Amino acid sequence: MSSQQPYSFFHSVEKSFDKAAQFTKWEKGLLEQIKACNSIYSMRFPVKMDDGRIEVIEAYRVQHSQHKTPCKGGIRFSNEVNQDEVMALAALMTYKCAIVNVPFGGGKGGIRINPRSFSAYELEKITRRYTSELVKKNFIGPGIDVPAPDYGTGEREMAWIVDTYQSLKPGEIDAAGCVTGKPVSQGGVRGRKEATGLGVFFGIREVCSMPEVMQRLGLTIGVEGKRVIVQGLGNVGYHSAKFFREHGSKIIAIAEYEGAIYNEAGLNEEEVFQHRKATGSILNFPGATNLAKSTDALETECDILIPAALENVINGENAPRVKAKIIGEAANGPLTPEADEVFASKGILVVPDMYLNAGGVTVSYFEWLKNLSHVRYGRMEKRFTENLNTHILDQIEGLTGKSVSDSERKFIKHGPEEVDLVHSGLEETMITATREIMEIWKANPAIPDMRTAAYVCAINKVGTSYTELGIFP
Ligand code: NAD
């Protein structure tokens, strides 16, 4: 790209892809196919505003790859939405799904609006009209393309989408699977809210359990006692901090946009959250020191740094001052390519966003499966398991003449609830993905970083899938 051309997010994804592709065995034409965006639906539709004006809405849905169907990816409501951005995000979804073995192609949607400038009724009309445009062009459906929440959208919008879809497709038995991230009462799954933060924890915990990696970084094995800094106390940052703290790590600093706080003895994310709610800021938290600037937290000495706020927060300028040993990219794109180079040369491990924050899409996959099976997870086996466990315990106690404590009895008896199964499925997914990426990296020491290894992992899986489909005999 010449310097005259505007920045293209899609082009930068292609660049990362090309960097990784050289470590794969695939033929050039196949690599071109994996990279390409298969279908792009750009639309304009009119919506009557509350004051009677008609506004023309610009919107997109991109299906990057159909090597597996349905396609999957969120819908973003933002003033920054444009075709290039939606294409890039759809491509990243293809690679993300491949890495975590979620059997979907990549997709993404976007509506170019600032949701805060519209009333709830106007947003509902926009969302419903967008859905009906997708239905008309066959761009949505449980076996075609399944959207989810993204920036600016949430459960409310997903409920409007499923309702519109169902009204246009009466009698379609699997209609609830046309979108994920729905409220539980509308077919959503328990455990979705904390999924991304929990996935971040599982991914990094797995990295920390690898003796050779920890030795290289000069760290002890395990997350216990690790000093962690989190940027952004939103959904992902809050839950990441919670799971690290609950497993014995110390959250020594938290950064928000208004500032950062530090306490070597450790911070409790829930208490900080409540303090922020009460005072409007995380600053002046009892027992903690305020840091001069919010970004100082990124440069404070620690074992694990978790940027969970925005993109491009660590760049070529501040990367040399970062002192963390591990950086877990919970946010999408928090590091620039220049920062990557700094960390690769300093031996700092960057655990890449493309797979580390895949907890959301993984649990979306579980929601879709739940919708297709029309039954809540755990409903069939919970009581059976509890009865069986109780029976086994009674037998053991009877035979040994000893009894376990009440809390142990409760733990052993427990049959799985929906949330237990969702968490355990997510744990399995993140552990497997981490090991696969690390194996690829270990097998080829010329691969410069874990991000490139993750891309190699994705390219190999999508390439295998295309080849097995017989498209490229
Ligand atoms: P969120 O809006 O709930 O939280 C973001 C937090 O970051 C907010 O509390 C905000 O005040 C804070 N913040 C904003 N600017 C900041 C700054 N300059 N310094 C410090 N803090 C700042 O959003 P989220 O859902 O937690 O998403 C965070 C990131 O994770 C985004 O990059 C998002 O794309 C990515 N992500 C989210 C999910 C998900 O399931 N929510 C899944 C994958 C990736």
Side-chain angles (χ1 to χ4, degrees):
M1 195 171 66
S2 85
S3 57
Q4 274 84 43
Q5 281 177 296
Y7 166 78
S8 160
F9 186 7
F10 186 65
H11 184 73
S12 84
V13 173
E14 286 189 312
K15 260 173 68 180
S16 303
F17 181 99
D18 291 341
K19 185 172 160 191
Q22 58 179 310
F23 299 105
T24 71
K25 63 177 173 32
W26 303 103
E27 200 262 331
K28 197 167 163 281
L30 179 56
L31 290 170
E32 286 302 314
Q33 173 57 49
I34 298 173
K35 250 196 319 186
C37 265
N38 288 359
S39 320
I40 300 167
Y41 179 16
S42 158
M43 66 191 100
R44 304 286 184 278
F45 52 80
V47 176
K48 200 171 206 170
M49 298 294 117
D50 293 347
D51 62 4
R53 264 180 321 111
I54 289 178
E55 194 152 318
V56 178
I57 305 293
E58 176 185 335
Y60 303 89
R61 183 74 194 173
V62 171
Q63 295 171 350
H64 172 260
S65 173
Q66 285 107 346
H67 72 288
K68 293 204 188 287
T69 46
C71 295
K72 187 96 194 73
I75 296 177
R76 181 172 284 206
F77 285 6
S78 149
N79 258 342
E80 314 301 318
V81 162
N82 58 60
Q83 185 174 316
D84 177 80
E85 182 190 75
V86 184
M87 286 167 67
L89 293 166
L92 289 173
M93 285 305 297
T94 294
Y95 309 137
K96 187 178 284 195
C97 289
I99 293 171
V100 291
N101 297 314
V102 164
F104 295 147
K108 203 80 182 189
I111 304 186
R112 193 183 171 93
I113 52 167
N114 175 0
R116 282 186 296 273
S117 322
F118 294 86
S119 70
Y121 183 50
E122 289 168 341
L123 285 174
E124 179 172 351
K125 282 205 279 188
I126 292 169
T127 309
R128 288 185 182 275
R129 178 65 189 256
Y130 176 72
T131 310
S132 63
E133 294 295 326
L134 295 178
V135 170
K136 272 195 259 173
K137 291 279 196 295
N138 221 12
F139 259 71
I140 185 171
I144 298 168
D145 190 348
V146 181
D150 192 66
Y151 190 87
T153 60
E155 287 189 347
R156 179 183 68 167
E157 287 74 17
M158 303 307 114
W160 291 334
I161 291 173
V162 72
D163 185 56
T164 308
Y165 184 86
Q166 280 169 330
S167 68
L168 293 171
K169 300 265 186 176
E172 196 179 295
I173 186 87
D174 291 330
C178 76
V179 67
T180 60
K182 302 178 291 290
V184 172
S185 61
Q186 302 300 320
V189 74
R190 290 161 187 85
R192 176 102 182 31
K193 195 169 176 221
E194 66 273 30
T196 305
L198 183 57
V200 167
F201 168 73
F202 284 144
I204 295 179
R205 186 190 65 181
E206 189 56 22
V207 167
C208 289
S209 76
M210 297 175 168
E212 67 286 3
V213 178
M214 290 297 100
Q215 197 184 8
R216 214 170 55 225
L217 295 169
L219 292 171
T220 55
I221 293 170
V223 293
E224 215 181 324
K226 292 275 180 305
R227 298 161 67 246
V228 178
I229 295 180
V230 178
Q231 183 198 37
L233 198 61
N235 178 309
V236 178
Y238 173 92
H239 287 106
S240 302
K242 172 176 157 40
F243 292 112
F244 272 101
R245 181 185 52 74
E246 286 178 354
H247 288 82
S249 306
K250 268 198 300 182
I251 312 298
I252 59 164
I254 295 179
E256 258 295 336
Y257 68 84
E258 71 270 13
I261 52 173
Y262 175 88
N263 184 347
E264 187 57 39
L267 295 158
N268 179 307
E269 74 296 329
E270 175 59 22
E271 288 170 11
V272 176
F273 182 79
Q274 291 305 336
H275 172 80
R276 189 175 195 227
K277 217 166 131 185
T279 67
S281 166
I282 61 168
L283 294 173
N284 305 320
F285 180 70
T289 317
N290 294 337
L291 297 182
K293 295 196 306 288
S294 170
T295 48
D296 286 351
L298 300 172
E299 300 169 20
T300 300
E301 205 266 314
C302 67
D303 298 319
I304 304 170
L305 174 64
I306 302 180
L310 294 171
E311 55 278 359
N312 296 345
V313 292
I314 305 177
N315 48 42
E317 193 273 319
N318 60 356
R321 298 192 296 276
V322 170
K323 297 172 197 75
K325 307 258 179 29
I326 298 174
I327 301 174
E329 288 188 311
N332 276 314
L335 271 56
T336 64
E338 294 74 37
D340 263 353
E341 278 171 28
V342 171
F343 296 137
S345 71
K346 284 172 76 175
I348 291 175
L349 178 67
V350 177
V351 187
D353 50 358
M354 204 169 48
Y355 106 96
L356 191 66
N357 66 27
V361 71
T362 302
V363 173
S364 272
Y365 168 49
F366 301 155
E367 178 177 336
W368 179 79
L369 291 174
K370 172 186 183 180
N371 297 147
L372 299 194
S373 63
H374 300 266
V375 64
R376 165 174 59 81
Y377 287 108
R379 178 168 175 179
M380 304 301 282
E381 66 269 42
K382 179 176 161 56
R383 189 64 50 184
F384 179 85
T385 307
E386 281 190 3
N387 291 342
L388 182 65
N389 290 348
T390 305
H391 185 75
I392 295 171
L393 254 181
D394 289 347
Q395 288 293 310
I396 293 173
E397 287 183 343
L399 288 169
T400 59
K402 292 181 181 158
S403 51
V404 299
S405 68
D406 283 352
S407 64
E408 275 304 322
R409 168 167 281 272
K410 204 169 146 206
F411 181 82
I412 295 169
K413 232 181 86 168
H414 179 75
E417 313 266 2
E418 180 161 88
V419 71
D420 300 321
L421 294 168
V422 164
H423 284 182
S424 134
L426 177 59
E427 182 174 12
E428 165 63 19
T429 302
M430 293 306 296
I431 289 176
T432 305
T434 310
R435 288 184 187 169
E436 283 183 17
I437 295 168
M438 284 305 199
E439 281 305 313
I440 287 170
W441 197 9
K442 211 158 89 182
N444 190 344
I447 293 176
D449 48 35
M450 196 174 169
R451 189 187 315 283
T452 308
Y455 263 97
V456 171
C457 176
I459 294 169
N460 284 342
K461 287 186 184 178
V462 182
T464 304
S465 183
Y466 268 118
T467 312
E468 286 171 357
L469 285 172
I471 295 170
F472 296 91

